[in-house]
Amino acid sequence: MAVENADRLRWQELAHQALGDFLAAAMVEDLPSIAWTIASNGAMTGTVDALSFEPQEQRAAFDAWVSRLGAEPSERTDSAAVVHLYARFTWARNYLVGGAIRAELVPPMDAEGGV
């Protein structure tokens, strides 16, 4: 069965409603601002970027959103010592809406450009 455009738009509309709920809660609870995207299937991604936060602040922002959304975090470190944080969530008000929070914690470079 093919997915119709109307379905995709409905999923995006639900995600948009959820994002409004998330941002309203963030204002009240003083959660850090993060970048949000909504895919064509309605999946949401919250990204804690390195442009706005130092690595320890990124982790704190990630943890705050994970806690707020009741998500289960996971973590892995790659060969370049970058820590990848990821947590899937489902919106408490509607199980059809969900997504992930993510962050990449890049270690600082030394004077020679290495880790």
Side-chain angles (χ1 to χ4, degrees):
M1 180 168 110
V3 176
E4 299 293 327
N5 188 53
D7 294 321
R8 292 182 200 282
L9 292 171
R10 182 175 52 84
W11 297 333
Q12 286 183 318
E13 183 179 37
L14 289 171
H16 184 263
Q17 291 170 358
L19 182 55
D21 186 59
F22 295 173
L23 295 177
M27 294 288 287
V28 171
E29 299 171 25
D30 196 30
L31 293 171
S33 63
I34 62 175
W36 288 97
T37 58
I38 298 173
S40 61
N41 67 357
M44 303 172 66
T45 303
T47 304
V48 184
D49 65 83
L51 298 174
S52 302
F53 302 100
E54 295 294 324
Q56 65 275 18
E57 296 169 322
Q58 278 183 279
R59 183 177 289 278
F62 175 84
D63 290 343
W65 278 101
V66 165
S67 176
R68 174 63 176 88
L69 297 173
E72 288 295 321
S74 65
E75 176 179 323
R76 71 175 178 80
T77 304
D78 66 21
S79 60
V82 175
V83 177
H84 300 268
L85 304 175
Y86 182 85
R88 292 179 57 114
F89 68 86
T90 302
W91 188 29
R93 289 182 41 199
N94 186 335
Y95 73 92
L96 294 175
V97 178
I101 303 294
R102 64 187 185 146
E104 290 184 350
L105 311 181
V106 178
M109 297 270 209
D110 64 21
E112 286 78 42
V115 177

